[in-house]
Amino acid sequence: MSIEDTTWRKYERQIHKELASIFTECDFEFDDRIFGKHSKIDRQIDISIRGKIGGNKILGIIDCKYFSTKLDVKIVESFLGMIEDTKANFGLLITNNGYSLAAKNRANVKNLKLDIIEFDELEKIKLTFDYFVNQNIKNLELSKYEFFKRGNENSGYFDYNKSNYNKRIVTFKEGFVNTEYYSFKKIIKESARLFRDFSDLEFITIRIPAKNNKEKRLYFSTIKRNDLEKFLNLKFNYLREDIKFWRSDFLENGDYTKESIYDFAKENISSIKYTDYEKEIKTSG
């Protein structure tokens, strides 16, 4: 075995160790072959990763380069083609000798996830569940199919039958919340989530059943994107860029307090007896 072969064994072991520590329930295959969807030939893959992250099936492909010079843009373009051809969710180019600025710039493709990582920096790999959530959000386009699909993904209490895409109505089932206050809080949160998920969504109506003094009521609100942005003092398209912004700038927003939620509810959230709501549903349909 040559010195170069020995070095590559070291690369492979460390790459496998770092990735396995992140994708704990995934399978790794060395020297894999994946049939290209466009090329219609078997593509050789140094390392493939398969499994499920957050319930989503994923495929990652890894290409390891051992060069005496920096990784250049031609290598990146070739590997981007490989990602597209194999329908991989992400790709990693591992290099031992750095990369050119053009190569790094070329890797920044909006609809294809490619990272270039130097071998000595493998410990910096941070491919987490957040990335896959983000990819899902960034690829969402406003449509009836995605609207209902996202509703089911967001909550098991999503009521498909009582929601309405044409009217931009999302209805939740009984049990989603137990008090009036949490219905207020959830109306704001679920509205914000949908504005973040769908950049073309301009208004949304959220309906949530809950009890108030043992009386079952339906709480509802139609909120415009701009109005909710003003209330929360943020931009939903910004939250769409990275899931960590959703956590830090919205969920952990210090201005999003119980007092502010009640203030918002006074101006924007109404309620009716649930029995009246049921009568209305029967009458209308």
Side-chain angles (χ1 to χ4, degrees), residues 37 42 47 51 55 72 78 81 99 104 120 137 157 161 164-165 175 193 197 200 202 206 252 258 273:
K37 301 300 185 295
D42 286 320
I47 305 172
D72 64 25
S78 176
Y99 43 82
K104 189 65 174 178
D120 291 339
I137 293 170
Y157 287 96
N161 294 322
N164 187 309
Y165 171 74
R193 191 198 301 272
D197 291 355
D200 293 325
E202 292 301 323
I206 305 291
E252 299 169 10
K258 190 170 185 176
K273 291 182 180 179

Side-chain angles (χ1 to χ4, degrees), residues 188-189 191-192 226-236 239 246 249-250 253 255-256 260 264:
I188 295 171
K189 180 180 178 181
S191 298
N226 290 341
D227 291 341
L228 194 54
E229 284 184 330
K230 289 178 183 177
F231 166 69
L232 296 171
N233 192 29
L234 50 75
K235 294 291 184 182
F236 292 118
L239 300 185
W246 169 255
D249 289 33
F250 174 64
N253 184 344
D255 295 328
Y256 183 48
S260 71
F264 185 87

Side-chain angles (χ1 to χ4, degrees), residues 216-220 270-277 280:
K216 187 177 176 183
R217 301 185 68 83
L218 182 81
Y219 294 86
F220 59 94
S270 304
S271 72
I272 59 173
K273 291 182 180 179
Y274 198 80
T275 52
D276 292 340
Y277 164 65
E280 183 183 316

